[in-house]
Amino acid sequence: INETLEKAKETLLSVSIHSIQRVQDLQVKTASLSSGNQTLTNQLWRDALTGLYNRAYLDQRLFQLFESAPPLSIIFCDVDHFKQINDRYGHAIGDQALIHVAETLQDNLRDNDLLGRYGGEEFLMLLPGATLSQAQNVAERCAEALRRNTMPIAGSPAIKLTASFGVSSTGEASAIDAHTLIEEADRAMYTAKHQGRDRVVTYSRPQ
């Protein structure tokens, strides 16, 4: 009987050890899958250069925010004279300039604001709950921060970066859609360009 019990204990112990090993293997595989999914998500929704959200994510999030209660404001930002930076210093410095702008903008947004690279040297900011006036204040703060924060370059004088900003808002009870809001902010940004760059322009919707 004792011999039978000992064999039974050994069998149970072997099964338990094997089960524990299987659980550990599954945990490792699950963690690997989770990490892989996170990497895939980042590739889908993040800009490879700046690490900001990309256009696809911003467009999706903008439509989601439209389902929430107004107001909702957005800011379009376009780096001034960016082609001249690339032509003079090369694309590597141009990339550094975009990263510098991205970091400066991010540091001057509110906690619940979203920032992304919309394409090229354009950035888009989504400001849920912000009125036009509040969004204008955020844009002015970002513009001033860019003026102050020059970008150092090894062996050359620091580069002063500026940008043109266009601001638009749904208002408290507006029936406009996401496409219209983006178009308005884009028009305001180009107005800022035409007025001399390095400034903030708000879109005035006809009454």
Side-chain angles (χ1 to χ4, degrees), residues 80-108:
D80 295 329
H81 303 297
F82 184 71
K83 185 178 183 301
Q84 294 180 15
I85 295 173
N86 274 335
D87 291 344
R88 180 175 179 181
Y89 298 99
H91 289 281
I93 297 299
D95 287 348
Q96 290 181 32
L98 291 175
I99 295 171
H100 177 84
V101 171
E103 292 174 347
T104 302
L105 296 178
Q106 188 70 72
D107 288 344
N108 287 277

Side-chain angles (χ1 to χ4, degrees), residues 40-182:
L40 181 59
T41 299
N42 285 338
Q43 290 174 345
L44 287 173
W45 299 128
R46 295 283 182 175
D47 174 60
L49 176 65
T50 62
L52 299 178
Y53 291 116
N54 60 21
R55 179 170 182 166
Y57 179 86
L58 290 171
D59 285 340
Q60 181 190 76
R61 192 73 183 98
L62 180 59
F63 282 102
Q64 291 173 344
L65 289 171
F66 257 82
E67 299 176 0
S68 305
L72 169 65
S73 297
I74 67 172
I75 303 171
F76 244 125
C77 166
D78 186 273
V79 181
D80 295 329
H81 303 297
F82 184 71
K83 185 178 183 301
Q84 294 180 15
I85 295 173
N86 274 335
D87 291 344
R88 180 175 179 181
Y89 298 99
H91 289 281
I93 297 299
D95 287 348
Q96 290 181 32
L98 291 175
I99 295 171
H100 177 84
V101 171
E103 292 174 347
T104 302
L105 296 178
Q106 188 70 72
D107 288 344
N108 287 277
L109 294 180
R110 307 173 308 164
D111 291 340
N112 63 328
D113 295 337
L114 293 174
L115 168 66
R117 185 182 176 196
Y118 210 63
E121 63 270 29
E122 286 187 339
F123 297 85
L124 179 65
M125 290 157 264
L126 309 182
L127 285 67
T131 64
L132 183 64
S133 176
Q134 290 169 333
Q136 181 181 6
N137 289 338
V138 172
E140 293 285 5
R141 185 166 66 239
C142 290
E144 179 58 30
L146 279 176
R147 295 182 195 111
R148 292 196 315 267
N149 298 337
T150 56
M151 189 182 83
I153 299 179
S156 299
I159 297 177
K160 180 181 179 181
L161 295 168
T162 64
S164 300
F165 296 80
V167 186
S168 183
S169 178
T170 60
E172 292 294 338
S174 178
I176 69 168
D177 58 25
H179 290 298
T180 302
L181 194 65
I182 286 181

